[in-house]
Amino acid sequence: MPEGHTIHRLAQECLERFAGWTTRVGSPQGKFADSAALLDGAVLDGVDAHGKHLFLGFEGRGWVHIHLGLIGKIAFDGDAVTDTVRLRLVGGRHGDQAMNLRGPAACELITDGEKQAIHDRLGPDPLRAGDDPGRAYARISRSRISVAALLMDQKVLAGVGNVYRAEVLFRHGVDPFLPGRALSRPLWDAMWADLVVLMREGVRTNRIDTVRPEHEPEAMGRPPRRDDHGGEVYVYRRTGQPCLICGTEVRTRPLANRNLFWCPTCQPPAPESALAADR
DNA sequence: AGCTCATGGCGAG
DNA sequence: TCGCCCTGAGCTG
């Protein structure tokens, strides 16, 4: 579920549903009950998103900092209230809007200062207007770590997860094991610009689509394909299947506890790739 | 009923 | 590098 596009979309949705109105705040599951009691009845007056971090502002009472982790989910409307709901909001103009949060890695009430500290330790986010790709490149270009690992490091770049990582590397023909220091500035700028477009589209459609029209199966004379995760992608979770462009079997390998996917033909290793510190 | 896996990230060793 | 936290879906029995 959650890469940065999901979080930014949720921020927008919370703003539209709840902002400006007093909000009932509860924690059916109990782990957020003390803070929920402090917030109950406050006006939700602002939202923010940075990478995979979501912030809900309650007038005069601080921010609820939410991180969904790998398995957290937010549902709205008629979603059933079960004993796993960590945070429940009810409010809006007619008091009939509802939000349920389940399974988050973080759900905590924090101050402005604590919120700022989170922003300070995150890298630039392609979905935050004005964020500077140069800040990410400053770290990438100094690192011997693979570009695949760097793209997932939220201190380097905020919001990209396992799907966007695999797909942006594919779209630019970059070998995942290329050390960051071997990535040129123009190539990085192109990848960033691509992420801005892909992730904005992800916010709009609520899914990750990365396949260019000319590579759609129909355009390539192949039968249509449906992914079980909702979007159309080149390599993510397509292990052993033919690359949509060249037909080579998509490969996978765990890197830093996560599965990495790539096409060894479209993303050929550079000489420096053998030297990545983390391969 | 129990296992594995998932678009994350943390802290201990 | 590993184990662990959170929940639920999709398998296997």
Side-chain angles (χ1 to χ4, degrees):
Chain A
M1 264 309 258
E3 294 195 27
H5 68 301
T6 302
I7 307 309
H8 283 258
R9 185 186 171 89
L10 288 169
Q12 213 171 279
E13 198 153 5
C14 286
L15 187 73
E16 288 160 9
R17 289 170 182 269
F18 298 108
W21 309 98
T22 61
T23 307
R24 301 304 311 266
V25 183
S27 179
Q29 180 226 32
K31 282 193 187 174
F32 191 64
D34 291 350
S35 297
L38 295 174
L39 294 169
D40 194 30
V43 174
L44 194 154
D45 69 345
V47 304
D48 201 1
H50 187 162
K52 301 166 188 170
H53 297 256
L54 172 64
F55 303 93
L56 305 178
F58 288 85
E59 191 173 24
R61 306 190 201 183
W63 295 88
V64 176
H65 168 226
I66 295 169
H67 194 294
L68 294 181
L70 189 55
I71 62 178
K73 280 184 176 57
I74 284 179
F76 294 98
D77 300 328
D79 185 57
V81 183
T82 65
D83 58 9
T84 59
V85 174
R86 177 82 57 90
L87 167 66
R88 176 168 171 82
L89 302 182
V90 178
R93 176 187 295 268
H94 306 291
D96 60 351
Q97 299 291 328
M99 186 210 86
N100 290 333
L101 166 68
R102 290 182 175 79
C107 176
E108 54 176 356
L109 180 56
I110 63 172
T111 64
D112 287 350
E114 288 166 331
K115 175 173 181 283
Q116 187 56 49
I118 293 169
H119 291 298
D120 291 345
R121 65 175 160 78
L122 291 172
D125 177 347
L127 289 173
R128 281 172 78 88
D131 272 17
D132 174 18
R135 256 177 66 219
Y137 190 71
R139 299 185 66 135
I140 292 168
S141 59
R142 274 192 270 114
S143 179
R144 305 159 49 154
I145 300 295
S146 66
V147 64
L150 291 165
L151 287 175
M152 290 280 285
D153 183 343
Q154 304 295 298
K155 297 186 293 302
V156 173
L157 177 67
V160 166
N162 208 10
V163 185
Y164 283 121
R165 160 176 79 173
E167 295 299 305
V168 78
L169 288 171
F170 179 89
R171 284 169 59 97
H172 294 267
V174 177
D175 175 52
F177 298 101
L178 186 73
R181 56 165 61 164
L183 191 74
S184 75
R185 181 66 199 252
L187 182 48
W188 167 247
D189 286 341
M191 290 170 65
W192 170 274
D194 203 23
L195 285 169
V196 170
V197 172
L198 290 173
M199 293 177 76
R200 279 186 189 160
E201 186 66 3
V203 173
R204 192 177 72 77
T205 61
N206 202 20
R207 44 185 266 179
I208 299 180
D209 291 295
T210 60
V211 178
R212 298 184 180 90
E214 66 267 32
H215 299 139
E216 291 289 346
E218 291 82 350
M220 302 282 284
R222 285 197 275 265
R225 180 170 59 83
R226 279 256 64 90
D227 289 311
D228 58 1
H229 49 91
E232 294 296 330
V233 292
Y234 284 107
V235 290
Y236 174 71
R237 287 225 276 187
R238 294 195 61 246
T239 311
Q241 298 176 51
C243 171
L244 297 186
I245 294 182
C246 75
T248 304
E249 282 190 9
V250 172
R251 292 182 58 180
T252 190
R253 222 199 79 179
L255 177 72
N257 268 344
R258 312 301 300 282
N259 290 320
L260 175 63
F261 305 88
W262 80 102
C263 169
T265 301
C266 294
Q267 300 166 265
E272 304 94 312
S273 294
L275 305 173
D278 56 340
R279 72 172 305 162

